C-alpha cells in the first residue's frame, strides 16, 4: 500500500467530504482550512473571508487502489471549477476551487489533469493550484457532517445531489 494525501477545495467542505468518504481506496477524509495567512483559524474567521483560507478536505488514499489522477477526475466532476470564489449559493474566497499538492510528483499530475479539465471546459477553469500551506483541521462538529446530518436542509438539498452525481458517474469507484 502506498498512502498519499491531497488537499482539495471545491466549495463547502461538507460537500467534498461527503463524496470522498464514499470513494473506494480513500482511507480517510478530514475537513479543514488551507493556504491562508492566519494560524489556527476558526470557522467563523474563515467565513468572514479575511483569513485567505479555503475550506478544504485532506484526502488520504491508497494510490495502488485509486490513483491521484482518478481522485482529481472525481473532483472536477463533482464541483464547478469555472466559478471564482463560488459554488452555488456559497460565495466568498473560502469557497474557491483549489488543489493543494503535498509532493513534487503530485504537482505534475495535478497540472496535467487541470490542463485536461481546462481544455474540456473551454479554458474556463479557475481552480487554484499550489502546494498545501498553513493547513488547520476544522472543528470536530464539521467532520463527517453529511453522514451525521443527512436530513438537515443544506445536506438534503445541496450535498445529496452531489453525492448522487458521484454515485452515478463513478459507479465503479463507490465503496462496496
Amino acid at each position: 500500500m502506498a498512502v498519499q494525501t491531497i488537499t482539495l477545495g471545491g466549495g463547502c467542505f461538507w460537500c467534498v467530504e461527503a463524496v470522498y468518504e464514499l470513494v473506494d481506496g480513500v482511507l480517510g477524509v478530514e475537513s479543514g482550512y488551507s493556504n491562508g495567512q492566519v494560524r489556527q483559524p476558526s470557522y467563523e474567521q474563515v467565513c468572514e473571508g479575511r483569513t485567505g483560507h479555503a475550506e478544504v478536505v485532506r484526502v488520504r488514499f491508497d494510490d495502488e487502489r485509486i490513483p491521484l489522477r482518478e481522485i482529481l477526475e472525481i473532483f472536477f466532476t463533482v464541483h464547478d471549477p469555472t466559478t471564482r470564489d463560488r459554488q452555488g449559493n456559497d460565495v466568498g474566497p473560502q469557497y474557491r476551487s483549489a488543489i493543494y499538492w503535498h509532493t513534487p510528483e503530485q504537482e505534475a499530475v495535478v497540472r496535467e489533469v487541470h490542463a485536461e479539465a481546462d481544455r474540456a471546459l473551454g479554458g474556463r477553469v479557475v481552480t487554484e493550484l499550489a502546494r498545501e500551506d498553513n493547513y488547520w483541521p476544522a472543528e470536530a462538529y464539521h467532520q463527517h457532517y453529511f453522514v451525521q446530518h443527512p436530513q438537515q436542509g443544506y445536506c438534503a438539498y445541496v450535498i445529496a445531489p452531489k453525492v448522487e452525481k458521484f454515485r452515478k458517474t463513478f459507479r465503479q469507484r463507490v465503496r462496496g
Side-chain angles (χ1 to χ4, degrees), residues 74-141:
I74 292 167
F75 173 74
F76 279 113
T77 301
V78 299
H79 88 294
D80 181 356
T82 68
T83 54
R84 187 170 309 282
D85 297 342
R86 177 183 201 133
Q87 288 295 303
N89 290 329
D90 294 326
V91 179
Q94 69 271 27
Y95 298 117
R96 66 188 176 267
S97 175
I99 303 171
Y100 302 128
W101 60 79
H102 293 240
T103 68
E105 295 78 19
Q106 286 181 340
E107 179 183 2
V109 176
V110 165
R111 291 193 183 279
E112 182 179 308
V113 175
H114 178 274
E116 291 167 8
D118 194 42
R119 280 191 300 278
L121 294 168
R124 297 179 301 124
V125 171
V126 296
T127 304
E128 176 181 69
L129 306 179
R131 182 170 188 79
E132 185 197 77
D133 184 44
N134 195 20
Y135 174 85
W136 187 250
E139 295 79 357
Y141 70 91

Side-chain angles (χ1 to χ4, degrees), residues 23-74:
V23 176
D24 187 39
V26 168
L27 307 172
V29 182
E30 179 181 68
S31 290
Y33 316 109
S34 193
N35 289 56
Q37 299 81 35
V38 175
R39 293 277 169 214
Q40 302 178 4
S42 68
Y43 180 67
E44 290 74 22
Q45 289 175 307
V46 172
C47 283
E48 290 172 359
R50 293 184 294 213
T51 68
H53 287 84
E55 286 193 14
V56 297
V57 294
R58 262 189 176 174
V59 179
R60 279 186 337 105
F61 61 100
D62 177 352
D63 76 353
E64 292 174 1
R65 290 177 53 204
I66 183 167
L68 176 58
R69 166 174 278 287
E70 288 187 49
I71 293 284
L72 297 174
E73 288 169 355
I74 292 167

Side-chain angles (χ1 to χ4, degrees), residues 5-21:
T5 301
I6 192 78
T7 303
L8 305 171
C12 175
F13 47 32
W14 297 340
C15 296
V16 182
E17 176 191 73
V19 167
Y20 283 98
E21 285 185 326

